[in-house]
Amino acid sequence: MMRLGLLAAAGTVAVVLGTTAPARAQWIVFDPNNYVQNVLTAARELQQINNQITSLQNEAQMLINQAKNLANLPYSSLQQLQSSIQRTQQLLAQAQRIAYDVQQIDGAFSTSYAPVNGSQSNQALITNAQSRWQNSVAAMQDALRVQAGVVGNLDTNRIQTSALVTSSQGASGALQATQAGNQILALQAQQLADLTAAVAAQGRAQSLEAAQRASAQDQGREQLRRFLTPGQGYQSQDVRMFH
């Protein structure tokens, strides 16, 4: 009986071992160190991807900024400024009689404005006096015309200044800001050119008027000498022409 009991117990153990052994073969072994390494590796790869995305975004923004910096200013005042300068130049070119020319000036001052000498006839003195008076009147008219032209450019300059300042404030890039600044400088240069023209025209008129007075004094002395000299043949109307 005892032997039968042992055999039964051994069979039970064998059955238990036979049924539990395959179950142990299906267990999953968890390695904490390997899991941590895998997580760290995945985190580093994700960080690299994020860095690449950020780099691409920065490059895209850089290209956008470069495109803005290279964009031209949509507004240009060059044509209006050139037109203003041309109008002033045309007025200067229309100067009457003694124009802005060195040869003409030298020729006039060697004849009409030359010092009086005793060999000149009375008629020559009268003709020179008339010529000087006409030169002065023409120069004054020219000065007024140039000044009127400069005043006429003021409204154009005001409009261009407002437009350029607005364009400069709304510039989207360095090139646009630079172009707006250059056009503002060009506008200032045009205004200085107008001022120079007005000063030159006024100075021309004043110089011819001063030259006329100086020549009139010189001829006045010659007039008096001839008037007091017997046989010169001065008439009253001749005397009046010198003044």
Side-chain angles (χ1 to χ4, degrees):
M1 293 295 293
M2 184 177 294
R3 182 177 294 179
L4 290 175
L6 292 173
L7 290 174
T12 303
V13 171
V15 171
V16 172
L17 292 175
T19 56
T20 58
R24 288 182 179 178
Q26 296 178 0
W27 287 358
I28 298 175
V29 179
F30 176 75
D31 188 349
N33 293 329
N34 186 44
Y35 176 77
V36 171
Q37 292 299 324
N38 291 336
V39 171
L40 293 176
T41 300
R44 285 193 292 269
E45 292 177 353
L46 180 61
Q47 184 62 39
Q48 290 177 355
I49 294 174
N50 289 334
N51 292 337
Q52 292 176 356
I53 293 174
T54 302
S55 178
L56 291 174
Q57 290 176 340
N58 292 335
E59 291 179 1
Q61 187 62 43
M62 185 182 301
L63 292 175
I64 293 173
N65 293 335
Q66 289 177 354
K68 289 181 178 180
N69 288 333
L70 295 177
N72 288 321
L73 190 70
Y75 179 80
S76 176
S77 64
L78 180 60
Q79 183 176 358
Q80 290 79 3
L81 296 180
Q82 287 179 336
S83 297
S84 297
I85 292 176
Q86 288 175 355
R87 285 193 296 269
T88 303
Q89 287 178 330
Q90 289 173 356
L91 291 173
L92 292 175
Q94 294 171 2
Q96 306 170 76
R97 301 181 67 83
I98 302 177
Y100 300 94
D101 183 82
V102 175
Q103 292 181 350
Q104 288 189 17
I105 294 172
D106 291 343
F109 275 79
S110 65
T111 54
S112 300
Y113 296 89
V116 178
N117 59 70
S119 63
Q120 289 177 302
S121 65
N122 295 337
Q123 185 59 44
L125 296 178
I126 294 171
T127 301
N128 288 340
Q130 289 178 332
S131 178
R132 290 192 299 271
W133 174 78
Q134 291 171 352
N135 290 340
S136 297
V137 173
M140 291 178 183
Q141 182 182 9
D142 292 338
L144 291 174
R145 295 177 73 246
V146 172
Q147 291 169 4
V150 170
V151 172
N153 288 337
L154 291 178
D155 189 57
T156 300
N157 294 340
R158 177 187 60 79
I159 295 174
Q160 298 307 316
T161 300
S162 177
L164 289 173
V165 170
T166 301
S167 299
S168 177
Q169 291 176 343
S172 60
L175 181 59
Q176 289 189 359
T178 300
Q179 289 177 336
N182 290 339
Q183 291 189 47
I184 291 175
L185 291 177
L187 175 61
Q188 293 177 347
Q190 183 267 324
Q191 292 172 335
L192 288 175
D194 275 355
L195 178 61
T196 301
V199 171
Q202 182 65 27
R204 171 174 173 263
Q206 292 176 348
S207 297
L208 289 177
E209 178 64 21
Q212 180 193 13
R213 290 196 300 267
S215 296
Q217 291 176 356
D218 186 28
Q219 289 197 9
R221 288 190 294 269
E222 177 64 16
Q223 169 194 349
L224 180 60
R225 185 191 69 79
R226 294 186 183 187
F227 183 78
L228 297 177
T229 302
Q232 291 293 327
Y234 257 108
Q235 303 296 325
S236 59
Q237 62 270 21
D238 296 338
V239 176
R240 288 195 298 269
M241 288 302 300
F242 291 104
H243 296 281

